[in-house]
Amino acid sequence: MSQNITDVLMVGATGSIGQLAVRAAQRHGLRPRALVRDVRQAEQLLPGVELVQGDLERPASLRRAVGGADAIVFTHGSGGDARPDARAHVDYGGVRNILQALDGARPRVALMTSIYATRSDIPGATPWKRRSERLLRAGGLPYTIIRPGWFDIAGPTQRRLVLEQGGTADGGISRDQIAETLVRSLLTGTALGKTFELIAAEGEEPSDWAELFGVLKSDESGSVDGVLDPADLPIEDEPRRVRADLESVRFLRGTSG
Ligand SMILES: NC(=O)c1ccc[n+]([C@@H]2O[C@H](COP(=O)([O-])OP(=O)(O)OC[C@H]3O[C@@H](n4cnc5c(N)ncnc54)[C@H](OP(=O)(O)O)[C@@H]3O)[C@@H](O)[C@H]2O)c1
């Protein structure tokens, strides 16, 4: 079942996917509110869009941003950040800090992570996006987690969306279709509680979003992993602070009315 959604906090709104997600939200009659670090720069990129200043690494700056949001779309990323621990601080820490700022509110969430999020066999892979997904599942909010394929690979005739589960998908997808899928997931009941990889193949755009999401398996209730995810990152082997973060968001679940 879909919640009534009007106000949507867009995290990463100035990014290459975030800007398109803001436009997609507007197209669907939603009221996007963009979380931005630099208001002046954002005014140029997102004219006419409500802006709220905040930094994902500064938890106190996030409370105002999340207030009253019916939904949250996460498209943030640490791509331009050269710090070796940027993924932990931004990709993962940003999700943790937003969840902790919610103060009992239960917005619908669409989280963009990445293809290969569970692939520990890929050189240079880190588990931070997977860990951010785990926080969201543990937090008990209504969610959809979308792991898009490579942004700049799909050609103009590759518009048929292919949704896969289990972490082995590979392929590209255009940025506008990622943005559209994130927003559609908020508005489509059959996307609730699901995690999937998203790529595009030769063919037409989807017309029946309920069916597209509906054929997917739901994540198992109580599990921190996506359905069919490999069981190669046991919680008990996780760093102490990661386990503590999971406990903190589970606690929020317990206290949210
Ligand atoms: N490239 C691919 O093919 C591919 C495929 C799948 C998934 N991905 C994932 O997609 C993400 C990149 O998406 P994109 O191209 O849209 O990213 P992007 O253009 O680099 O945008 C990143 C967004 O995150 C925001 N951000 C970063 N640190 C922040 C902080 N501390 N507080 C608030 N906002 C912050 C940025 O805000 P500012 O404007 O203030 O910097 C910006 O809005 C990456 O995480 C990547 O792993 C990429």
Side-chain angles (χ1 to χ4, degrees):
M1 219 165 310
S2 290
Q3 294 169 248
N4 251 352
I5 294 174
T6 305
D7 291 299
V8 186
L9 177 67
M10 314 295 294
V11 177
T14 53
S16 82
I17 305 297
Q19 291 180 54
L20 296 172
V22 168
R23 301 297 170 219
Q26 289 174 321
R27 265 200 316 280
H28 286 281
L30 305 177
R31 201 158 52 211
R33 180 197 310 164
L35 174 76
V36 301
R37 289 190 285 189
D38 181 338
V39 170
R40 286 216 179 151
Q41 179 216 42
E43 279 170 350
Q44 306 297 315
L45 295 172
L46 301 166
V49 175
E50 183 188 349
L51 307 176
V52 54
Q53 207 278 334
D55 186 324
L56 289 169
E57 294 190 64
R58 296 174 53 217
S61 72
L62 302 175
R63 288 199 202 103
R64 194 166 69 88
V66 300
D70 305 313
I72 302 175
V73 176
F74 286 99
T75 58
H76 64 296
S78 58
D81 192 327
R83 290 174 298 167
D85 52 0
R87 291 180 191 180
H89 286 300
V90 177
D91 298 20
Y92 168 82
V95 174
R96 177 199 56 217
N97 292 342
I98 290 277
L99 294 181
Q100 292 180 341
L102 283 172
D103 195 26
R106 292 181 50 77
R108 181 83 162 81
V109 178
L111 170 64
M112 177 183 89
T113 59
S114 182
I115 196 166
Y116 291 2
T118 58
R119 294 282 301 274
S120 53
D121 57 318
I122 302 291
T126 77
W128 291 110
K129 282 193 190 289
R130 182 173 183 180
R131 288 174 175 150
S132 75
E133 296 182 355
R134 286 177 157 187
L135 288 175
L136 182 55
R137 295 190 197 95
L141 301 176
Y143 69 84
T144 305
I145 295 171
I146 298 174
R147 300 168 172 165
W150 310 113
F151 294 171
D152 295 312
I153 289 183
T157 55
Q158 291 177 296
R159 301 292 291 177
R160 182 169 65 81
L161 295 183
V162 179
L163 280 51
E164 295 190 19
Q165 295 176 297
T168 55
D170 213 349
I173 175 159
S174 72
R175 293 168 201 253
D176 70 297
Q177 286 200 293
I178 300 170
E180 178 72 9
T181 306
L182 285 160
V183 172
R184 290 274 188 177
S185 78
L186 298 177
L187 302 172
T188 310
T190 53
L192 195 60
K194 294 184 176 173
T195 301
F196 57 89
E197 292 87 48
L198 177 69
I199 56 177
E202 204 63 35
E204 302 294 318
E205 302 198 358
S207 56
D208 187 338
W209 289 83
E211 188 187 7
L212 187 73
F213 296 129
V215 297
L216 296 171
K217 292 184 192 322
S218 297
D219 293 339
E220 280 171 31
S221 169
S223 171
V224 293
D225 282 317
V227 67
L228 308 182
D229 280 357
D232 59 355
L233 192 66
I235 300 282
E236 54 275 19
D237 295 348
E238 285 284 74
R240 185 193 296 251
R241 69 181 165 128
V242 169
R243 282 183 282 139
D245 287 343
L246 273 172
E247 281 315 305
S248 78
V249 296
R250 281 201 179 105
F251 175 76
L252 296 174
R253 174 185 200 150
T255 56
S256 61

